[in-house]
Amino acid sequence: MASEPQGGLTEYITHHLHHNVVSLGDSSFMKLHLDSLVVSFVLGVLFCLWFWLKARKATSGVPSKGQALVELIVEFVDTQVKDTFHGDRRTVTPLALSIFMWVVFLNSMDLLPLDAPSWGVKAVAGAETAHHTFFRWVPTADINTTMGLALAVFFIVLGHGMKAKGALGFGKELMTAPFHADNLVVKIILVPFNFVLNVVEYLSKPVSLAMRLFGNMYGGELVFMLIAGLFASWLSFLPGVLFNTAWAIFHILIILLQAFIFMMLTIVYIATAREHH
Amino acid sequence: MNINLTFLGQMVSFAILVWFTTKFIWPQLNAAIEERQKKVAEGLAAAERAHAELKDADAKVAVEIKQARQQAAEIIEKAQQQANQIVDKARVDAVAEAARLKVAAADEIVSMQQRAREELRGWVGRLAVQGAEKIVQREVDASAHKAMLDQLAAEI
């Protein structure tokens, strides 16, 4: 690999862009990305355990450092929700908190060394197995994960809209907003335009949510892979380490920012869905 | 998948990242955490202090009320004593006055008796003289018989 860096890098990147796939059927749809699923599940459980333990031992007195950290995060999220969403926050803040923390955890996998999983597999099962084992451990660099998250948010937003206006009111608003008319005939003429516009608006929300997160994390991962190409020779080893570190440090910002944006947009969508036109 | 220098490079840069995080990111987070702890602790201490102060004030108020009550009782007692004294003095005064008046009245009675007696004596003397004049039908020498008449009057 060191003798032909270009071909080696292409192979390297291609390899690292492979998911650990379990096929459930012949079609390309019937496949599971086991790596994304396992990593996101484990990290989700980790988040729940962490916060649950801290919440269980929470005191109203002087908090321990762990409790203070959890309180800081919860308060931060709650403040964001309070500023954007004016209503009953009892279900919205937990949702925003879960999204934020989970996405932060998932994104943070990007900071861990890219080749650590393959090193582990090699150490356990040998180089030959490692060559055929694929494992991408940044779930948010997988469009399936982000799309799943975004769709869940989409349905929650729809639920909020229907709860705030009733199923009928929600349906009526799909037909009559944003173009209003006083005349009944004009109203009926405007129905298809309104409906199409609303459907596009609603569908664009999860798509933009999912694509934004996926794009950022996928791009970040790809840059790590490209930088990894620098490790191919001793000459570029040191710059490689420097670039890798610099990108990782910069990536901390992206990780938090993308998680924050995902959370904020979710809140904004819910707030908009609850708004009457 | 070949494991080569790539992984070494990634490990080194990861180590640097960890160092960077502990050096530059964790302290800030830690400071925020500690500030929060401090704020909570201060708030709790302030509440505790306020509570203690309230208790103190309550105790002080209770003491003061007790003192005021005591003072009021003392004042009332003193006033009662004074009133009693005044009443006693008035009684003594009245008794003394009454006694004085009685003595004066008795004196007057005695002197009036004396006067009446004197007057009566005079009258008796004169009547006796007049009676004697009428009896003897001539003028009696009053001065000559005065001693005799006085003796008569004194005998009455």
Side-chain angles (χ1 to χ4, degrees), chain B residues 32-100:
Chain B
I33 289 170
E34 272 169 2
E35 198 194 306
R36 188 189 178 82
Q37 275 182 318
K38 217 177 93 188
K39 230 160 59 182
V40 171
E42 273 169 6
L44 285 177
E48 194 85 15
R49 228 175 12 249
H51 198 70
E53 267 166 23
L54 183 67
K55 233 177 178 175
D56 255 23
D58 274 350
K60 225 180 258 171
V61 166
V63 166
E64 235 144 74
I65 286 175
K66 214 172 140 192
Q67 264 177 358
R69 253 191 217 138
Q70 223 163 9
Q71 257 170 8
E74 271 169 27
I75 288 170
I76 288 170
E77 204 169 335
K78 225 183 250 172
Q80 252 164 4
Q81 271 176 6
Q82 222 160 18
N84 280 346
Q85 271 174 4
I86 289 169
V87 168
D88 279 350
K89 194 169 171 278
R91 190 178 291 138
V92 169
D93 280 357
V95 167
E97 179 74 6
R100 199 181 55 78

Side-chain angles (χ1 to χ4, degrees), chain A residues 12 63 65 71 115 131 244, chain B residues 1 6 10 13 34 36-37:
Chain A
Y12 175 85
K65 277 196 176 182
E71 278 177 5
D115 281 306
H131 191 69
N244 205 3
Chain B
M1 181 68 241
T6 311
Q10 283 169 351
S13 67
E34 272 169 2
R36 188 189 178 82
Q37 275 182 318

